[in-house]
Amino acid sequence: MTQPSDETPLTIELGLGGTIVVGPHRISVSEAAAVLGAIAETGSVQGIATGLGLSYRAAWERLRVLEAAFGHRLVQKTRGHGSTLTPTGLLLRESLAAAASSLAAPLAREGRTLRARLGPVLGGDAPPLAMVASHDLLLMEVGANWPGLALTVAGSEDALARLSDGRADAAGFHCGPLDLVAGGPAFAEIAGDPGFRVRPLFEREQGLMLGPGNPLGIRAVADLAGREIRYVNRQGGSGTRVWFDRLLEQHGIPAASIRGYATEEFTHQAVAAVIAYGAADAGLGARAAADRFGLDFLSIGWERYYLATAVSVPDAAFDDLAHALAERAGRMPGYRRATS
C-alpha cells in the first residue's frame, strides 16, 4: 500500500533540457550550459570540475567533446588570466540562456500543474489552486471560502502577469466594454497565446459612484474635469483604471485636470467607502459597490469578467466555481450571466 510522504511538501522545478544534434553528435543542453557557465563565472576549467562534480581531467574531456561537436573553439586560455569563452563560446552561452529565459514562465506553469497532479500521490494533500483576480464583490463572496482555492486580489494586468510567469494557476480580469484584442497589450496577448484558455465568468455594470443624491450634479465623465470635484481613482494596472484612462482619452481630458487622479484605492468597496465617508465626490466602480454604500450611480456600461488558466490546468478544476458565479450573477443587481 502506498503511504503519503512524511517529508516536506512536494516541490517541482522544471528546467531547460533536451539535446542539440550536430551531425553525429548529441549534446546535452543542460551540460553545455553548465560547462560554459562555469568557465564564464570562474575563469578556469577547475570551475567545470567543481560545478559538475568531475575530476579536472574529466572536465577537460567534457570541454573537448563539446568543442569537437560544434567544430569551434569555445574556450581560450590566456597566460595569467585563466580561461575565457571565445566569441563562439559566448554566443552559445547567451543563446542557451535566452532559450532558458523564454521557457522559464511556461515551465513554471507546467511545474505548478505537475505538482497539483502528483501531490496527492507523493505528498498527501493537493495544494490549493492559486487564483489571482481583479477585485469583484460577487467573486469575493463566492470564491473567498471556495474549497481548494487560494484567492488573492490584484489588478487585472498584475493578475495576468502572475499567471503568465507561473505564480498562479488562474487569473480573474476585465478590460471594460472592449473585446480582449482591443483591450490592450496584456489582454490581447493572453487571448492570442495558445498556452492559455480564457472563458467569460459573468458581466457587470460599471459607472461613476457619486455621493448620495449627487449633490454636485455630475451627469457625465466630462463633468469631472476642471471643477472642484474630488475624484478617487483605482490603482494603475487595474481593469477599472484602464477603462477610466480610456474614457479620459476619448473625451480629450488630460489626467492633470482631474482633482484626485493620483489618489488610489485597491478595491471597488474602498472607492465607494471613501465617497460614502465624504472624502471624495466621485469614482469609477461597480454598481454593486455603490448599492452597498447607498451611493448614487451613473452607469457608463457593462463589461465581461474573465477567467484565464493555463491549458495544462483541466477545465474541470474551475467548472464548479464558474457555474456558481454564473448562477449568482443572474440574481444579483449590477450583474448578469455572460452572453455568448
Side-chain angles (χ1 to χ4, degrees), residues 74-107:
L74 303 177
V75 175
Q76 60 188 7
K77 289 183 66 66
T78 304
R79 186 182 299 275
H81 296 282
S83 299
T84 59
L85 295 177
T86 65
T88 301
L90 184 61
L91 174 63
L92 178 57
R93 181 175 185 244
E94 290 176 346
S95 299
L96 293 177
S101 177
S102 66
L103 290 172
L107 287 173

Side-chain angles (χ1 to χ4, degrees), residues 177-199:
L178 303 179
D179 61 37
L180 295 177
V181 174
F187 311 109
E189 288 170 9
I190 203 74
D193 192 326
F196 297 100
R197 182 186 298 112
V198 179
R199 69 167 109 174

Side-chain angles (χ1 to χ4, degrees), residues 22 38 69 87 89 92 101 119 161 171 192 232 244 279 305 311:
V22 183
L92 178 57
S101 177
V232 54
F244 184 65
Y305 192 101
V311 294

Side-chain angles (χ1 to χ4, degrees), residues 39 49 134 136 155 195 217 302 335:
I39 290 292
S134 177
D136 177 78
W302 289 78
Y335 291 89

Side-chain angles (χ1 to χ4, degrees), residues 229-287:
I229 295 171
R230 299 165 300 167
Y231 187 79
V232 54
N233 217 343
R234 286 294 304 280
Q235 81 276 18
S238 67
T240 300
R241 174 66 167 270
V242 171
W243 194 351
F244 184 65
D245 287 345
R246 191 183 302 127
L247 286 170
L248 294 184
E249 182 178 356
Q250 290 170 355
H251 287 81
I253 301 172
S257 69
I258 304 296
R259 181 185 177 192
Y261 179 86
T263 302
E264 299 180 344
E265 294 291 343
F266 283 78
T267 68
H268 293 271
Q269 284 191 195
V271 171
V274 170
I275 298 170
Y277 297 152
D281 303 306
L284 190 62
R287 176 182 284 278

